[in-house]
Amino acid sequence: MTPENKLDKSKMVVVEGSYAVAHAVKVCRPNVISAYPITPQTHIVEDLSQFMADGEIPNCEYINVESEFSALSALVGSSAAGARCYSATTSQGLELMHEVLFNVSGMRLPVVMTIANRAVSAPISIWNDHQDAISQRDTGWIQIYAENIQEISDMTAQAYKIAEDKDILMPAMTCMDGFILSHVYEPVVLLEQDLTDEFLPAYEPENILDPKNPLSFGAFADPNYYTEFRYLQEQAMQKALKKIEDVANEFYDVYGRYYGGLIDEYRTDDADIIIMAMGSIVGTIKDVIDKLRDRNVKVGLLKVRSFRPFPVEAITNVLKDAKVVVVLDKNISLGLNEGALFTETKSSLYNTDIRVPVVGYMIGHGGRDIKIDTIEKIIDEATEVMKTGIKIESQFTDVKEELI
Amino acid sequence: MKSLLAPGHRGCAGCCDAMAAKFTLMGAGEDCIVVNPTGCLEVMTTPFPETSWEVPWVHSLFENAAAVGSGVEAALKALGKKGNTKIVVMGGDGASLDIGMRSISGAFERGHDLTYVCIDNEAYMNTGVQRSGATPFDASTTTSPAGKVSFGNPRPKKNMPAIIAAHGSPYVATTSIGYPKDMINKVKKATEIEGPTYIHAHAPCTTGWGFDTSKTVEVAKMAVNTGLWPLYEMEDGEVTKVRKLGKNIKPVEDYLKMQRRFRHLFSMEGGEEEIAKIQAIADKNIEVYGL
């Protein structure tokens, strides 16, 4: 049951998405921020730099590194030394971090990083899709996608609470659509300092780099030991499934705001058609659903917040009574002709008693606009699937044939 | 002086890395945090669940140790725990001169209070003696082998101390594991100076260079005494101290013939001319540094 969102309108201000995130980071009281500029993440780190210049983030060091590789590498040292750590990046920067992402997770360092999701080169594109973060799905980072600016801002505090939990100790990416959320101004409640101090305890890791108690971090593991490190990471991810739900509820108790836990639902109760998606596209889909519901089309939305850990049970529970499932992906696994959410949703359903056709649409690559008409057309096609079965299992949306 | 590197590690007999690490810790003291990139030293000292390190130690990746060190320093400052704690990065020549160059450049430009010790054994020893940017002219390695039409590595060593000095480092010094007191004193001095300081330690590798395990120190001393590895200190970019060789200067041949990696120079046609080129490198050092 989705709790009612109690947004205090008197506290709302109109700010840019990036500012809301930077403010949320400040309120979480980080000790080390390490980042490298890249569009469309830049405004977040510029705002944080200004906070630093104005002395507004106490007990914090900001490292202006020479690359994204070093941005995250520096945080390996900082986190191991006991600091609450933050970075932000996107696209090429995130891909450059690839090797470090595995390392941070393998060392169980609860770094939080905002990703302003952007397409990946070539061809170079600064606009939004999800290929950057999806391509890092196996690196052992929790990945949560936000629908709007309020959610990505609030998610920052949630991410620290999830990542730093002693049963979890896994790094987390909070994902916001580049430009669509990072550069847009919306009325939001900025993350409250007093409530955050109540919600988010200080980071007090048990094992740190300390000359008084010398410990070794990052030893090498031979075949006698390596498997168990991976096993324990997976165990932590499985525990994070519950923790993400718990933290969303705790957040609601303190702040009165709620966006779903692992997932959120919109008008799914009696829905024959369920659309699944992540990120800002969810807002567009909700508008389409309202419109089609007025015409008695029984359509609902399953918004996936947590892509890693992947909420198999939560998703199958929602899909069990659907007659058709439509999955929208702003990414593609080249060579499979499928987006990742589509593939993993099918995989979640496979060894169950649920028999529902699932179709996939790859959409919005490189920032191509996703229009209401397009979503409506997809839902029309889903209605056909209900009647006549699957014709095309997975396809690109809005391909301009004249350009091919 | 207490050794902060426990025995029982997996280093070879006569291992230069073990000596370099031990001397570095003697200079830095107990109140330090060590960052170590991937390499022999990391592998031989920390097979999980064991460790040789009696000081806090962290290994992340091959190319990012200076960035990790930056992060440790920043964290200690932010948490109000920096005090006199020294951050010491110890990396091999491949991790320092090649793959980790960007991260070192960044850390030195930003001015973190850390000491970077490059343990230079002149090739990628951990992976089986492949050439690096620190491999000397004409050395035969597994990726710059001497052959019918090759005398080995075609390029001289990259001048890393000069590059670091150009970053504005307040203290840059070369040393050698053949001179423990020199190394310990320079590390001590480097760690006591505020800001990013650099020690480049020459470290002959018994396995990779091909000499008897009992000769590590002897080979190291010979590199210094031929002028091929001058020992000097630079403060704020200027050479301020040099270890003089005076009348003790040895011909480079005495150094080359101790090692398998140069033996082709003594058997191949044209080898003499090659040895003369190496002598010219030493002669230039003798002139430039006034050895």
Side-chain angles (χ1 to χ4, degrees), chain A residues 206-217, chain B residues 54-57:
Chain A
E206 284 173 16
N207 299 315
I208 57 167
L209 292 167
D210 178 6
K212 291 186 202 72
N213 178 31
L215 300 172
S216 290
F217 288 67
Chain B
E54 310 259 16
V55 293
W57 176 93

Side-chain angles (χ1 to χ4, degrees), chain A residues 90-95 117-136 365-366:
Chain A
T90 174
S91 182
Q92 308 309 123
L94 183 60
E95 306 313 306
N117 293 108
R118 166 185 147 183
V120 177
S121 181
I124 191 163
S125 160
I126 57 167
W127 292 274
N128 166 249
D129 67 29
H130 291 164
Q131 195 69 52
D132 53 356
I134 296 292
S135 299
Q136 305 301 341
H365 292 258

Side-chain angles (χ1 to χ4, degrees), chain A residues 180-254:
Chain A
I180 300 169
L181 296 185
S182 62
H183 285 56
V184 158
Y185 284 69
E186 266 181 11
V188 290
V189 178
L190 293 172
L191 196 68
E192 302 89 334
Q193 185 70 68
D194 53 344
L195 299 182
T196 304
D197 288 341
E198 180 190 337
F199 172 76
L200 180 65
Y203 178 47
E204 286 169 353
E206 284 173 16
N207 299 315
I208 57 167
L209 292 167
D210 178 6
K212 291 186 202 72
N213 178 31
L215 300 172
S216 290
F217 288 67
F220 93 86
D222 71 17
N224 286 315
Y225 294 101
Y226 188 89
T227 303
E228 287 67 26
F229 280 90
R230 282 290 170 271
Y231 177 80
L232 289 169
Q233 277 176 284
E234 182 53 32
Q235 294 280 95
M237 276 291 194
Q238 293 305 318
K239 286 180 193 164
L241 286 168
K242 181 167 185 307
K243 181 54 69 179
I244 291 166
E245 294 276 6
D246 290 348
V247 166
N249 292 326
E250 288 163 31
F251 190 90
Y252 179 74
D253 291 343
V254 174

Side-chain angles (χ1 to χ4, degrees), chain A residues 131-157:
Chain A
Q131 195 69 52
D132 53 356
I134 296 292
S135 299
Q136 305 301 341
R137 69 176 175 184
D138 297 332
T139 56
W141 282 61
I142 292 166
Q143 281 192 19
I144 309 179
Y145 289 76
E147 173 185 349
N148 55 39
I149 294 172
Q150 188 70 57
E151 183 175 5
I152 189 67
S153 162
D154 291 352
M155 195 184 277
T156 310

Side-chain angles (χ1 to χ4, degrees), chain A residues 31-32 59-61 63-67 69-70 73-83 96 99-100 103 107 208-211 213-222 225 229, chain B residues 30-33 42-43 46-51 53-64 67-68 70-72 74-79 81 85 102-103 106-107 109-110 112:
Chain A
N31 302 119
V32 179
N59 308 315
C60 183
E61 291 281 320
I63 314 179
N64 267 309
V65 281
E66 79 292 343
S67 68
F69 199 94
S70 283
S73 295
L75 296 185
V76 170
S78 299
S79 187
L96 184 59
E99 186 190 9
V100 199
N103 196 247
M107 291 176 75
I208 57 167
L209 292 167
D210 178 6
N213 178 31
L215 300 172
S216 290
F217 288 67
F220 93 86
D222 71 17
Y225 294 101
F229 280 90
Chain B
E30 273 178 288
D31 190 6
C32 80
I33 295 174
E42 166 256 330
V43 170
T46 62
F48 184 85
E50 297 165 21
T51 182
W53 298 88
E54 310 259 16
V55 293
W57 176 93
V58 59
H59 158 253
S60 169
L61 299 166
F62 198 6
E63 67 275 54
N64 68 354
V68 175
S70 306
V72 172
L76 295 188
K77 277 187 179 167
L79 297 168
K81 287 158 63 169
T85 301
R102 175 177 71 199
S103 110
E109 173 270 318
R110 291 190 298 271
H112 293 279

Side-chain angles (χ1 to χ4, degrees), chain B residues 202-216:
Chain B
H202 197 237
C205 168
T206 166
T207 324
W209 296 14
F211 56 79
D212 187 81
T213 54
S214 64
K215 303 286 185 197
T216 308

Side-chain angles (χ1 to χ4, degrees), chain A residues 95-394:
Chain A
E95 306 313 306
L96 184 59
M97 287 178 178
H98 180 69
E99 186 190 9
V100 199
L101 293 172
F102 275 105
N103 196 247
V104 170
S105 173
M107 291 176 75
R108 308 295 294 272
L109 301 171
V111 172
V112 169
M113 180 157 66
T114 304
I115 311 299
N117 293 108
R118 166 185 147 183
V120 177
S121 181
I124 191 163
S125 160
I126 57 167
W127 292 274
N128 166 249
D129 67 29
H130 291 164
Q131 195 69 52
D132 53 356
I134 296 292
S135 299
Q136 305 301 341
R137 69 176 175 184
D138 297 332
T139 56
W141 282 61
I142 292 166
Q143 281 192 19
I144 309 179
Y145 289 76
E147 173 185 349
N148 55 39
I149 294 172
Q150 188 70 57
E151 183 175 5
I152 189 67
S153 162
D154 291 352
M155 195 184 277
T156 310
Q158 296 185 3
Y160 277 112
K161 193 156 188 175
I162 296 159
E164 291 173 357
D165 187 279
K166 288 190 170 34
D167 289 334
I168 311 293
L169 290 179
M170 294 289 269
M173 288 178 200
T174 57
C175 300
M176 69 193 298
D177 285 340
F179 288 113
I180 300 169
L181 296 185
S182 62
H183 285 56
V184 158
Y185 284 69
E186 266 181 11
V188 290
V189 178
L190 293 172
L191 196 68
E192 302 89 334
Q193 185 70 68
D194 53 344
L195 299 182
T196 304
D197 288 341
E198 180 190 337
F199 172 76
L200 180 65
Y203 178 47
E204 286 169 353
E206 284 173 16
N207 299 315
I208 57 167
L209 292 167
D210 178 6
K212 291 186 202 72
N213 178 31
L215 300 172
S216 290
F217 288 67
F220 93 86
D222 71 17
N224 286 315
Y225 294 101
Y226 188 89
T227 303
E228 287 67 26
F229 280 90
R230 282 290 170 271
Y231 177 80
L232 289 169
Q233 277 176 284
E234 182 53 32
Q235 294 280 95
M237 276 291 194
Q238 293 305 318
K239 286 180 193 164
L241 286 168
K242 181 167 185 307
K243 181 54 69 179
I244 291 166
E245 294 276 6
D246 290 348
V247 166
N249 292 326
E250 288 163 31
F251 190 90
Y252 179 74
D253 291 343
V254 174
Y255 299 82
R257 302 194 288 270
Y258 185 82
Y259 316 93
L262 296 163
I263 59 162
D264 200 15
E265 295 172 62
Y266 186 71
R267 306 187 79 164
T268 51
D269 279 351
D270 62 339
D272 293 330
I273 303 167
I274 293 182
I275 306 183
M276 293 175 62
M278 307 194 292
S280 63
I281 189 179
V282 158
T284 312
I285 297 170
K286 283 177 178 172
D287 286 347
V288 176
I289 287 174
D290 287 344
K291 191 171 156 192
L292 293 179
R293 281 279 178 177
D294 291 343
R295 293 188 221 145
N296 296 318
V297 181
K298 287 185 172 177
V299 56
L301 166 78
L302 195 173
K303 158 179 147 182
V304 177
R305 292 184 83 229
S306 174
F307 180 66
R308 280 291 178 277
F310 196 72
V312 171
E313 202 182 325
I315 288 173
T316 53
N317 268 340
V318 176
L319 301 184
K320 65 181 186 297
D321 297 321
K323 292 188 176 144
V324 61
V325 177
V326 181
V327 185
L328 307 187
D329 269 292
K330 287 187 174 181
N331 69 88
I332 178 172
S333 175
L334 292 168
L336 184 61
N337 194 39
E338 292 184 1
L341 185 60
F342 174 60
T343 304
E344 300 198 355
T345 299
K346 286 195 297 175
S347 156
S348 302
L349 291 165
Y350 187 74
N351 283 325
T352 68
D353 296 329
I354 304 164
R355 285 292 166 262
V356 57
V358 186
V359 289
Y361 289 84
M362 291 164 287
I363 194 166
H365 292 258
R368 183 160 297 175
D369 268 349
I370 300 166
K371 295 173 182 157
I372 283 179
D373 291 354
T374 308
I375 306 284
E376 280 189 35
K377 183 168 162 276
I378 287 170
I379 294 169
D380 284 348
E381 288 173 10
T383 311
E384 284 304 304
V385 172
M386 269 197 298
K387 291 179 195 156
T388 59
I390 295 175
K391 296 259 180 352
I392 304 169
E393 192 186 7
S394 178

